[in-house]
Amino acid sequence: MNQVIYLDNAATTRTRPEVVEAMVPYFSEHYGNPSSVYEFSSPCKEAIDHAREAIAESLGAKKNEIYFTAGGTESDNWAIKATAEAYASKGKHIITSKIEHHAVLHTCEYLEKRGFEVTYLNVDENGIIKLEELKRAIRPDTILISIMFANNEIGTIQPIKEIGAIAREHGILFHTDAVQAYCHVPISVDEYQIDMLSASGHKLNGPKGIGFLYIRTGLKTRSFIHGGAQERKRRGGTENVPGIVGLGKAVEMAMGTMEERAEKERELRDYLIDKVMKEVSFVRLNGHRINRLTNNANFAFQFIEGESMLIMLDMNGICGSSGSACTSGSLDPSHVLLAIGLPHEIAHGSLRLTLCEENTREEMDYVVEKIKEIVEKLRSMSPLYEDYVKRPGAKGHM
Ligand SMILES: *Cc1c(COP(=O)(O)O)cnc(C)c1O
């Protein structure tokens, strides 16, 4: 096998050829500025309108509740900072979780330096927040609950409907970072009582650098990017027309195939998980066994350095990740793995494999074969492992 086996779809996905094809005319033929009055620009306006419509429909939202942004990070920043500003007179307390994406966590830390108080909820060993703890954290000055729909590292899906109900009952706004979940699981903003939702094109086979924020009608918010009158004056800047077209097309395609895609991915994911758990010793599955994204597998291998493993997988043409793409380059173990209670040394030995419907069982067989070889090799160099296996009563599983 000399082709690359790409198992890092939580970091980014391949843009579908149909999406690229849909985008091309908006670079070449229809390059007009959507804000211009002449007829030449109307195909651009119409294309934006069409994409907005498709996205609104996918969430059971209204068209004018969808605001295009440059991606998930911007949407998270906008939702949290603008709410903080608009509702500061009501209160300065925000509730989030310890396992959010850095786009949420670092935004909250930024607000803490500016007089806001943030409660970071714990999660259980599977990465799920405790609803009782959420209820206890609510105060009269709480203005926002921001909890991600599904985690990007361990794939765990949160009880979003219950969180939405709690927020609504207390008159608190509810934002969810749904970047990993959107177009992968069904979402209805009304049913889940979501007030704001972030999503990103490149996590659903669309282009990079484009996303949106859903903002429920009636919410007080603030412009995030000051400038022209684009996006109903809330997000200035000439629209990324090709990006918006690509995002709309990707959403239409992903929504149309969601069920069968999920079925294929789940089957393949379970095959991979079962095989690794059966064939490798001292391994643990991180995240909930059932209640997780259909394409996510995350393992902790004891006595192994995750980074060494990634490099050796790479030498075999396999793309995976240890923790998340955003933590690579830093030697700290992932905040998510620490939050679910893994000790530092085990969190360091983690491997995330996120697949897509195009992967095959043959690829999974090859990957597990390579994991076995690599784990054996790295452990043979580990004095800790040597000591451990010689201990009386050492078991094969964590
Ligand atoms: C990828 C990701 C983001 C960031 O999205 P970008 O479009 O890359 O800015 C935010 N939150 C989650 C959960 C993600 O997986």
Side-chain angles (χ1 to χ4, degrees), residues 319-334:
C319 306
S321 151
S322 65
S324 78
C326 317
T327 39
S328 60
S330 116
L331 285 176
D332 294 336
S334 131

Side-chain angles (χ1 to χ4, degrees), residues 1-7 307-320 351 353 359 362-378:
M1 238 180 269
N2 43 26
Q3 254 185 325
V4 162
I5 299 181
Y6 184 77
L7 296 178
E307 294 297 318
S308 318
M309 190 162 188
L310 280 188
I311 292 166
M312 292 172 78
L313 284 169
D314 185 27
M315 293 192 299
N316 288 285
I318 300 165
C319 306
L351 174 69
L353 299 175
N359 291 120
E362 288 67 44
E363 288 177 331
M364 297 304 120
D365 289 338
Y366 173 78
V367 168
V368 176
E369 215 39 58
K370 289 298 158 194
I371 289 176
K372 275 160 64 180
E373 278 174 35
I374 292 166
V375 164
E376 206 168 301
K377 187 157 182 189
L378 290 173

Side-chain angles (χ1 to χ4, degrees), residues 107-334:
T107 302
C108 287
E109 286 162 20
Y110 166 88
L111 288 173
E112 279 183 294
K113 294 201 191 94
R114 278 153 188 81
F116 286 83
E117 266 185 83
V118 182
T119 301
Y120 299 90
L121 298 177
N122 293 302
V123 292
D124 67 15
E125 69 279 9
N126 291 319
I128 298 180
I129 69 149
K130 299 164 193 137
L131 295 170
E132 283 312 310
E133 194 184 330
L134 168 64
K135 285 185 199 160
R136 280 199 304 275
I138 293 173
R139 316 190 314 207
D141 61 341
T142 307
I143 51 171
L144 175 69
I145 296 172
S146 179
I147 303 281
M148 71 199 320
F149 207 110
N151 185 267
N152 47 305
E153 292 188 37
I154 55 175
T156 302
I157 298 171
Q158 298 295 339
I160 292 298
K161 200 170 173 174
E162 287 78 2
I163 300 169
I166 293 169
R168 189 63 61 88
E169 188 191 325
H170 290 84
I172 299 166
L173 296 180
F174 175 36
H175 165 249
T176 187
D177 173 343
V179 172
Q180 290 289 334
Y182 177 61
C183 283
H184 295 276
V185 299
I187 303 177
S188 153
V189 286
D190 283 341
E191 191 188 333
Y192 293 167
Q193 307 193 70
I194 295 166
D195 295 308
M196 288 174 283
L197 176 143
S198 305
S200 175
H202 73 104
K203 304 287 175 80
L204 51 101
N205 301 102
K208 294 172 180 59
I210 184 78
F212 70 85
L213 178 65
Y214 157 80
I215 307 178
R216 183 175 289 282
T217 307
L219 232 94
K220 271 198 286 179
T221 189
R222 293 281 192 266
S223 304
F224 188 58
I225 305 282
H226 300 277
Q230 292 91 353
E231 300 300 288
R232 293 174 297 290
K233 293 192 188 156
R234 283 176 167 177
R235 203 273 184 189
T238 301
E239 296 88 340
N240 174 359
V241 184
I244 291 170
V245 168
L247 173 61
K249 179 76 182 172
V251 167
E252 282 176 329
M253 293 190 71
M255 290 303 290
T257 58
M258 183 164 19
E259 241 169 86
E260 51 179 300
R261 200 158 33 95
E263 201 46 56
K264 270 191 209 159
E265 285 176 357
R266 187 181 298 113
E267 207 241 47
L268 211 53
R269 175 201 72 187
D270 290 345
Y271 181 74
L272 172 68
I273 291 176
D274 291 343
K275 207 167 159 76
V276 168
M277 300 305 286
K278 203 169 103 211
E279 299 188 12
V280 186
S281 60
F282 301 110
V283 61
R284 169 190 199 282
L285 178 73
N286 298 320
H288 200 281
R289 179 66 188 82
I290 310 290
N291 194 15
R292 71 191 301 139
L293 291 171
T294 51
N295 74 342
N296 176 295
N298 189 316
F299 305 102
F301 300 97
Q302 216 176 332
F303 315 110
I304 298 264
E305 190 73 77
E307 294 297 318
S308 318
M309 190 162 188
L310 280 188
I311 292 166
M312 292 172 78
L313 284 169
D314 185 27
M315 293 192 299
N316 288 285
I318 300 165
C319 306
S321 151
S322 65
S324 78
C326 317
T327 39
S328 60
S330 116
L331 285 176
D332 294 336
S334 131

Side-chain angles (χ1 to χ4, degrees), residues 62-121:
K62 295 193 268 302
K63 225 166 56 176
N64 61 4
E65 295 176 316
I66 305 298
Y67 296 85
F68 291 111
T69 65
T73 302
E74 183 185 319
S75 300
D76 286 342
N77 270 264
W78 183 0
I80 298 168
K81 287 180 191 162
T83 303
E85 201 189 326
Y87 289 85
S89 59
K90 183 189 170 213
K92 292 193 151 194
H93 180 235
I94 293 169
I95 300 173
T96 186
S97 83
K98 286 188 176 160
I99 63 162
E100 298 298 309
H101 189 273
H102 283 137
V104 168
L105 287 179
H106 290 168
T107 302
C108 287
E109 286 162 20
Y110 166 88
L111 288 173
E112 279 183 294
K113 294 201 191 94
R114 278 153 188 81
F116 286 83
E117 266 185 83
V118 182
T119 301
Y120 299 90
L121 298 177

